[in-house]
Amino acid sequence: MSLFKTKSWLECLQCHRKYDLDSVRYSCDCGGLLDLTRDLGKIDGKKLLKTWEKRWGMKSGVESSGVWRYRELILDAPDDKIITKQEGNTRLYPAGKAGEYAGLKNFLLKHEGENPSGSFKDRGMTCGITAANVYGAKCVACASTGNTSASMAAYAAKCGFRSIIFIPSGKIAYGKLAQALAYGGLTLQIDGNFDDAMTLVQEICEKLDIYLLNSINPFRIEGQKAICFEILQQLDWKVPDWFVIPGGNLGNSSALSKGLMELHELGIIKKIPRIAVIQASGANPLYKMWKFNTPFKAVKDPETIATAIKIGNPVSWEKSLRGIRWSNGVVEEVTEQEIMDAKAMVDAAGIGAEPASCCSVAGAKKLVDAGIISSDESVVGILTGNVLKDPDAVINYHMDNLKDKGIHGTFANRPISVKATLEAVKAVL
Ligand code: F0G
């Protein structure tokens, strides 16, 4: 008997070899990445849309999740195996000040930092950990720049799995490290960067039979697709002209385009929006490849204040590139200063997000300035993580303490020391 009820299979991006879902597998024997694939010809797009609309606003149950609401295109797992925290259901904000800053009249920000563990990772994680549960795994692992580990540890804690986390030593934001420890993940700070941790965790999972929950796992990508389903449902299925999204390990942008491709094939959307993937200039292998039309080459010592995307050898670059090409998209890079100034604007708009998230706004501004996005086009930017994930970055920017990194507190809002008297406060006001 098949473990999943599904008629899905895994298919290699390179050689198109197919594998059934009965055994655990993260890549093809040829080394290629795997897609979870289903026969969309057997799905009636119109009926599916009606089902999704009926589920909107459900108060409880599996389908009240902003991922499992779309379960037909996520994963056909039985209800009693699904591990969910009602993830998703995040807001889509008018960008306000951040929109003016970017030079856009119609700019919306999807705040994935409003997920249960404070980042978009929860969408992929509910699907990945559900797959682990179906396979009967009791121990899960990931390498992480912080958010994947926070999310994995939270879901593992919920269902009683052991979680093992590999993080680059001393290089992840405090909020994220705090979460990993708080949720009880066994946290291994390895002597190396994220790319080293990623190589190590793959070897360890294979040799020690631990279930790998990085986004090389195709089930993670399936859950992450729900971001675009939910945005489009919030927009009554009116497709924006652009999606702008940060790129690190490149799983999220891969999921965005895969979701859109499926909706398009099903006839649920007719227009193909353009996807802009934004990398930090110190961790920009996809940008370099795109800009100079060269073969993929990892960046050796990636460096950026946006530690979430400090990644030189992204696992999913081929999937991401496939989506960019399909959508007539672009890749852009942004400097440290551009990231932090855009962040100051996202924060000052009362929305708030961690540095990596704000690549969306910094990138949108750059593309508007370059005339690639026009100011009256409709744009949705993805904010991937919560403002509280990285308090150090916020304080240091506003105290103008980042000069050694070449970043100035352009829009700094410094705290002011004041005597505890009416006169002193009046003088300041
Ligand atoms: N934004 C945030 C806040 C992230 O945490 C990440 C990735 C990204 C953007 C980039 O997404 O990797 O799918 O291209 N964080 C991973 C982690 C790598 O370990 O938490 P991506």
Side-chain angles (χ1 to χ4, degrees), residues 120-121 143-148 176 194 224 246-253 308-309 311 354 356-357 384-385:
F120 75 97
K121 304 288 182 181
S144 183
T145 55
N147 280 325
T148 301
K176 305 172 190 182
F194 170 83
Q224 266 163 231
N249 214 16
L250 297 172
N252 204 22
S253 52
I309 53 172
I311 297 173
E354 67 164 286
S357 304
T384 43

Side-chain angles (χ1 to χ4, degrees), residues 118-121 142-151 166-168 172 176 194 198 214-215 220-221 224 245-255 277-279 306-311 314-316 320 353-359 382-386 389:
S119 85
F120 75 97
K121 304 288 182 181
C142 71
S144 183
T145 55
N147 280 325
T148 301
S149 52
S151 179
F166 295 80
I167 52 170
I172 77 168
K176 305 172 190 182
F194 170 83
M198 190 65 230
N214 278 100
S215 59
R220 283 272 318 277
I221 301 289
Q224 266 163 231
I245 185 167
N249 214 16
L250 297 172
N252 204 22
S253 52
S254 300
V277 176
I278 315 298
Q279 294 203 294
T307 50
I309 53 172
K310 195 161 130 181
I311 297 173
V315 162
S316 296
S320 182
E354 67 164 286
S357 304
C358 300
C359 285
I382 315 288
L383 297 179
T384 43
N386 195 284
K389 289 276 190 175

Side-chain angles (χ1 to χ4, degrees), residues 114-130:
E114 294 177 348
N115 269 290
S117 81
S119 85
F120 75 97
K121 304 288 182 181
D122 293 342
R123 292 191 191 254
M125 201 52 72
T126 181
C127 190
I129 205 145
T130 293

